[in-house]
Amino acid sequence: MKKVIPLTIALAMTTVGCAATDTVVKPDFPMKPHNGVKVAPAEYKKFDSILSESKLQISEPNAKPGSKYELAKDSNFSGLVNEHFYVDQGSEALIVSMEGYKLRNELRVKNNFPSNLADTFYQLSADVMPIDPRGAMENSPSKNDAMTYLQVHNKGTDDDGTGYIPHPLLRIVYEKSRKGYDDYYWAIIKNNAVNCSSKSGNKGSAECKNAYLKLPLTAYDSEQPTHFDIIVGDQKLVVKVDGVTKVNHDISYWKHLLSYFKAGVYNQFENGKGEAHFYNLEYKVNKIAP
């Protein structure tokens, strides 16, 4: 069977872009039952492309917001398995979880890449299914009702972190409620390269008041994963959802910054546990636009 889901398509073009409504046939994903047996993700070849290029940034559950430590700094994930990071033997899904506000469990692709090369396109692809995100946020204040799964962040103008700004270029998030959309995925895009942190002195500027595009992507599906492709190259940011291009955004303003991918869970809600199952997760570099 195939499931028909109404999708709101938001295309961010050179400026803000346009929005339209379409109906897309979403193919059923081959799901296998969970059996609860925890296996090291490195034992599954389908995760090789990202594990071989990444390290794990993880927090202690319910620790101080923002705190984290690193594992597999050399990208050797052999034998690395714990209650928050494992593959379920039955479903063969990579399961990541974390409990606590502004805490994370994320693979950080170590390659810091430029976004302005005309012949090189960096891609992160995922089949991801969050587990009861609305329930996880039940005891969180309504202003904190989001969870991030995929990111394009920045390292600054150099691999040593020079010129870093504390803002991701892109976050793919689930939000419980925003602008009349309930249980939806959103693309949160930094629309300039201005440092808008509280210590920057820019926070009240016009650039910082209009620093983000917030685009609805598709409804959360609790029965099967949603497929995301994030592609960065030739001064463009492209986001595809279940094969449909939802974002095609000019990021020429980002060309002096190096970027990197992250995938996992980052909790932007309080008093709960975030969990996501990644049935596929792939990192690759293409010489032609995907």
Side-chain angles (χ1 to χ4, degrees):
M1 293 180 60
K2 292 186 177 181
K3 182 177 296 183
V4 179
I5 298 177
L7 302 176
T8 296
I9 299 179
L11 296 179
M13 306 305 289
T14 304
T15 55
V16 175
C18 57
T21 301
D22 198 0
T23 300
V24 175
V25 177
K26 180 175 180 177
D28 281 339
F29 191 93
M31 304 287 286
K32 299 178 181 179
H34 295 272
N35 66 10
V37 177
K38 297 178 176 63
V39 181
E43 295 189 23
Y44 291 82
K45 290 188 69 64
K46 66 180 178 178
F47 299 118
D48 280 355
S49 67
I50 191 163
L51 295 181
S52 64
E53 299 288 340
S54 299
K55 57 185 175 181
L56 185 65
Q57 296 182 332
I58 189 169
S59 306
E60 292 285 351
N62 297 311
K64 180 181 177 180
S67 62
K68 66 179 187 296
Y69 62 98
E70 295 184 342
L71 298 172
K73 294 181 184 180
D74 59 355
S75 299
N76 182 2
F77 282 81
S78 178
L80 199 165
V81 57
N82 58 53
E83 62 178 310
H84 302 290
F85 181 79
Y86 65 94
V87 168
D88 180 273
Q89 186 188 61
S91 67
E92 298 184 355
L94 171 62
I95 297 176
V96 294
S97 63
M98 186 48 55
E99 187 169 359
Y101 182 50
K102 290 188 176 180
L103 299 180
R104 74 196 67 211
N105 185 354
E106 296 177 305
L107 289 168
R108 194 283 201 200
V109 178
K110 294 193 293 185
N111 183 28
N112 303 313
F113 58 83
S115 61
N116 62 338
L117 300 180
D119 61 350
T120 308
F121 300 85
Y122 301 87
Q123 180 172 342
L124 180 67
S125 298
D127 289 287
V128 59
M129 186 170 70
I131 303 303
D132 190 19
R134 175 171 283 267
M137 300 174 187
E138 182 178 4
N139 297 315
S140 183
S142 59
K143 66 178 181 178
N144 297 325
D145 65 351
M147 191 186 314
T148 295
Y149 304 104
L150 304 168
Q151 297 189 57
V152 181
H153 218 304
N154 85 92
K155 182 63 177 178
T157 56
D158 196 271
D159 283 323
D160 65 6
T162 301
Y164 168 79
I165 63 173
H167 312 292
L169 172 64
L170 170 73
R171 290 186 295 114
I172 301 295
V173 307
Y174 161 91
E175 296 211 21
K176 187 166 67 174
S177 182
R178 173 184 284 279
K179 296 182 179 179
Y181 293 87
D182 292 334
D183 301 303
Y184 239 73
Y185 292 108
W186 289 75
I188 312 297
I189 301 170
K190 184 73 162 68
N191 202 29
N192 57 43
V194 178
N195 186 340
C196 294
S197 66
S198 57
K199 297 179 180 179
S200 67
N202 299 321
K203 196 167 184 180
S205 68
E207 292 87 351
C208 290
K209 289 180 180 179
N210 298 282
Y212 290 96
L213 290 172
K214 299 178 180 181
L215 306 175
L217 295 176
T218 191
Y220 162 66
D221 188 341
S222 64
E223 297 181 2
Q224 63 179 31
T226 299
H227 183 83
F228 294 94
D229 294 301
I230 302 171
I231 302 155
V232 180
D234 196 21
Q235 301 189 109
K236 291 288 190 298
L237 169 66
V238 174
V239 179
K240 298 180 181 180
V241 181
D242 291 321
V244 178
T245 298
K246 298 300 193 72
V247 174
N248 186 355
H249 184 58
D250 184 336
I251 54 169
S252 54
Y253 57 86
W254 204 258
K255 62 185 177 183
H256 62 293
L257 294 172
L258 296 174
S259 298
Y260 61 86
F261 289 122
K262 298 177 80 173
V265 294
Y266 175 63
N267 296 339
Q268 294 165 279
F269 61 93
E270 301 176 45
N271 307 313
K273 177 183 177 180
E275 182 175 326
H277 295 190
F278 288 84
Y279 288 82
N280 290 292
L281 190 56
E282 183 181 14
Y283 166 72
K284 59 185 176 182
V285 182
N286 306 291
K287 286 300 181 180
I288 58 174

